[in-house]
């Protein structure tokens, strides 16, 4: 007696395209599911996305894979450690609209200050940590994530910050970024986890 006597049509939209960027050395194997960024200048990549830096950090060697572990947590790019460039922002071209963005900071070898890191001009450190590197020190061996709901109106998601800033707000690393189109019930919640068991 369980009948299904008609259906007129069904429309199925594709799943949202989630972009996952790992900041890493150019020779390191890219972790599964991620796209590689090694500090190169902004431009069209072979994966079809346009992204990169305003300063050629790859040419400067401002990338690391701590302990040659080849993981998302062990790899990073340093925003112009030697201060050779006037700007060192990173951006990716995306359609205008709402996005949920996660920025990950991790360095297994050193404490790092990320108090000066910004996303769309707003601070990218939702939880401030006291430490010997500055007002938002990420302790070595710890992964810290910043989650943000943003609205893109100029066709770009932009991350920025100086390694050594005159105002004392430094941005010494970035490890990864996850970009998810859309919005919804969203609360900014910092996430910290240790790299060691």
């Amino acid at each position: 007696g369980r009948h299904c006597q008609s259906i007129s049509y069904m429309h199925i939209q594709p799943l949202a395209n989630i972009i996952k960027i790992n900041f890493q050395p150019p020779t390191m194997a890219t972790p599964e599911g991620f796209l590689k960024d090694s500090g190169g200048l902004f431009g069209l990549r072979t994966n079809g996305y346009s992204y990169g830096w305003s300063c050629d950090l790859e040419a400067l060697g401002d990338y690391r894979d701590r302990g040659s572990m080849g993981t998302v947590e062990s790899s990073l790019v340093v925003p112009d450690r030697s201060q050779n460039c006037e700007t060192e922002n990173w951006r990716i071209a995306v359609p205008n609209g709402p996005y949920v963005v996660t920025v990950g900071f991790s360095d297994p070898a050193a404490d790092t200050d990320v108090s000066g890191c910004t996303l769309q001009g707003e601070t990218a450190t939702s939880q401030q940590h006291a430490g010997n590197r500055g007002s938002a020190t990420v302790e070595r061996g710890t992964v810290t994530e910043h989650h943000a709901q943003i609205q893109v109106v100029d066709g770009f998601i932009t991350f920025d910050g100086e390694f050594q800033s005159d105002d004392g707000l430094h941005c010494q690393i970035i490890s990864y970024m996850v970009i998810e189109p859309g919005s919804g019930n969203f609360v900014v919640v910092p996430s910290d986890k240790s790299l060691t068991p």
Side-chain angles (χ1 to χ4, degrees), residues 1 10 14 29 39 54 69 73 95 99 107 116 120 131 141 147 163 185 194:
M10 182 182 294
S54 61
M69 292 186 288
E73 294 81 11
Y99 292 84
D107 190 337
Q120 302 300 88
H147 308 280
F163 180 84
N185 296 326
S194 175

Side-chain angles (χ1 to χ4, degrees), residues 2-22:
R2 296 181 180 177
H3 311 305
C4 180
Q5 297 180 334
S6 71
I7 182 170
S8 298
Y9 62 89
M10 182 182 294
H11 178 70
I12 302 174
Q13 292 183 326
L15 294 174
N17 189 20
I18 299 175
I19 305 169
K20 299 166 71 176
I21 306 288
N22 192 53

Side-chain angles (χ1 to χ4, degrees), residues 23-163:
F23 296 88
Q24 62 176 74
T27 55
M28 180 184 130
T30 307
E32 185 176 352
F34 282 82
L35 305 175
K36 175 173 64 176
D37 184 283
S38 300
L41 290 170
F42 177 87
L44 178 62
R45 301 294 187 246
T46 57
N47 55 41
Y49 292 99
S50 292
Y51 60 83
W53 297 82
S54 61
C55 173
D56 195 348
L57 303 179
E58 183 173 350
L60 294 171
D62 285 342
Y63 47 75
R64 305 286 185 273
D65 176 23
R66 302 299 195 190
S68 299
M69 292 186 288
T71 66
V72 173
E73 294 81 11
S74 67
S75 55
L76 55 98
V77 163
V78 181
D80 195 18
R81 181 182 178 92
S82 51
Q83 298 179 285
N84 285 295
C85 302
E86 290 187 13
T87 64
E88 53 284 293
N89 65 71
W90 181 91
R91 61 181 184 154
I92 183 170
V94 296
N96 288 341
Y99 292 84
V100 175
V101 180
T102 299
V103 182
F105 304 101
S106 171
D107 190 337
D111 291 353
T112 53
D113 184 15
V114 296
S115 58
C117 299
T118 64
L119 183 69
Q120 302 300 88
E122 301 292 332
T123 182
T125 52
S126 56
Q127 183 173 356
Q128 299 295 303
H129 306 271
N132 61 2
R133 283 291 184 100
S135 63
T137 298
V138 177
E139 294 181 358
R140 66 178 179 176
T142 300
V143 180
T144 296
E145 292 183 343
H146 172 72
H147 308 280
Q149 174 74 65
I150 65 170
Q151 183 74 29
V152 174
V153 297
D154 62 354
F156 296 99
I157 293 174
T158 303
F159 174 87
D160 201 0
E162 297 178 62
F163 180 84

